Amino acid sequence: MNLQRVADKLGLSKERLEGLQETVVKKSSWPQPRLLRFEKTASGVEAGTAIFDNGEIVYGYPKIRRALMLAPALKKRFSDLVAVEEKMNGYNVRVASIDGDVVALTRGGFICPYSTEVARRLLPEEIFEDHPEIVLCGEMVGPENPYVPKDIYPTDSIDFYLFDISMKNNKNTQGVHKTHEFAREYGIKATAFFGEFRAESAYAPIVKIVKQLGRKGREGVVIKDPENKSTPIKYTSSESNCSDLEAAFRYYNDYALDFFVSRAVREGFQSVEWNESEEERKARALRIGESILLPLVDTVNKKRNGEQIVQHVQIRVRSLQTAREFEYHLRRSGMRAIFDQPEPEDDGYLVRITKLVMSTNDKTQALIEGEMW
Ligand code: ATP
Ligand code: MG
């Protein structure tokens, strides 16, 4: 890799890039192709940015800020029209072709072997033949999503939904319209598009959409400038906040405190802004309360009955090698998991995975035995 050329493309001096290499820029030599990845945002380069051995750069997907009070946030951010898309709840991947091989990068800039196999299966090859420079940004969702398993989407396994397009060596994304046009052209799925609204009158229709999504257990919306002039914002349903809380309280000692607090705070702002009746507010309080208490009770009970606190997920792979590689990938990402023997199926294998949540497991055991918090 020519470090000077890469530094020029990133808009950094070579010395700065070398300096970062000891701290935020990490090498990843597996799986091929080898790459350098930005573990954190630094010098204006987004976290997750990957620089491949051949010098090509896939930029990290930008963070999306969250509105707590929707109406004023819309006014503050957008002047003209806003485009509203569904925010899907899975994990972010960027798919690109590097020296002719399609790879899927995680948020952190690692090549994920499982996501790569799924992307190669779901995305027509001609996309990358026609557009070798393209980077497809999308969400992997479904019950066989080993990071955020959800059975609220129309798939029994895992599916890819495009939400943005970018090009290698280029920070910009192409925006809502080009993305949806592209998805139509190649017959791939894209996140639902709910239409465009004038910013000053968008509040009511967006709340209606978010309520409808919430009833289906879906996450919420991303609100984008159709001309891509200002950065998008996100806004989510109470049901999705609560389902996050439920998962987090089940494994309460394995999550950062902010995860709990930020979700509880969202609920307060939404309840006020939506001007809820007493009855609606009570229902919200009950929903929040249940999503905190019930998983905790379940966890403590399980431990009292001598069970291990673990999380079960599963994946379907075409090749055994993908399963083995994914096992290694989880381990190097710092996750502890036990992989069952792959079960052969018609066109591949089912692999059941037990993720260990050691911290919650041990803490609960200790507390049950009378240890102090
Ligand atoms: P962030 O740092 O971006 O806030 P996060 O992991 O906290 O990341 P989220 O709260 O899920 O993520 O919000 C941003 C993510 O939402 C994006 O990175 C993307 O993976 C996902 N997403 C789902 N649907 C869309 C969509 N329609 N447009 C853009 N992003 C979407
Ligand atoms: Mg998400």
Side-chain angles (χ1 to χ4, degrees), residues 229-274:
K229 283 183 301 208
S230 53
T231 53
I233 61 175
K234 58 193 178 195
Y235 188 72
T236 53
S237 69
S238 172
E239 289 81 355
S240 162
N241 294 335
C242 288
S243 110
D244 285 356
L245 285 173
E246 214 222 276
F249 274 103
R250 187 172 299 282
Y251 311 117
Y252 62 93
N253 222 40
D254 286 77
Y255 279 78
L257 267 187
D258 185 60
F259 190 92
F260 305 95
V261 178
S262 66
R263 280 164 183 76
V265 170
R266 287 175 206 169
E267 289 295 303
F269 278 84
Q270 190 168 81
S271 181
V272 171
E273 187 172 30
W274 288 9

Side-chain angles (χ1 to χ4, degrees), residues 41-56:
T41 299
S43 298
V45 181
E46 197 73 48
T49 296
I51 307 157
F52 292 91
D53 245 3
N54 68 3
E56 287 182 327

Side-chain angles (χ1 to χ4, degrees), residues 61-64 66 85-88 91-92 107 138-139 163 191 219 222 224 234:
Y61 193 71
K63 272 188 94 66
I64 301 178
R66 174 182 299 276
E85 258 180 23
E86 178 169 1
K87 178 176 198 307
M88 300 188 81
Y91 64 99
N92 178 306
R107 206 79 214 275
E139 197 81 349
F163 56 67
T191 51
E219 188 178 15
V222 180
K224 301 179 175 178
K234 58 193 178 195

Side-chain angles (χ1 to χ4, degrees), residues 2 14 36 50 53 87 110 134 160 177 182 229 333 348:
N2 182 332
K14 184 167 168 240
L36 295 176
D53 245 3
K87 178 176 198 307
F110 283 113
I134 208 160
F160 175 86
H177 293 305
F182 186 92
K229 283 183 301 208
S333 317

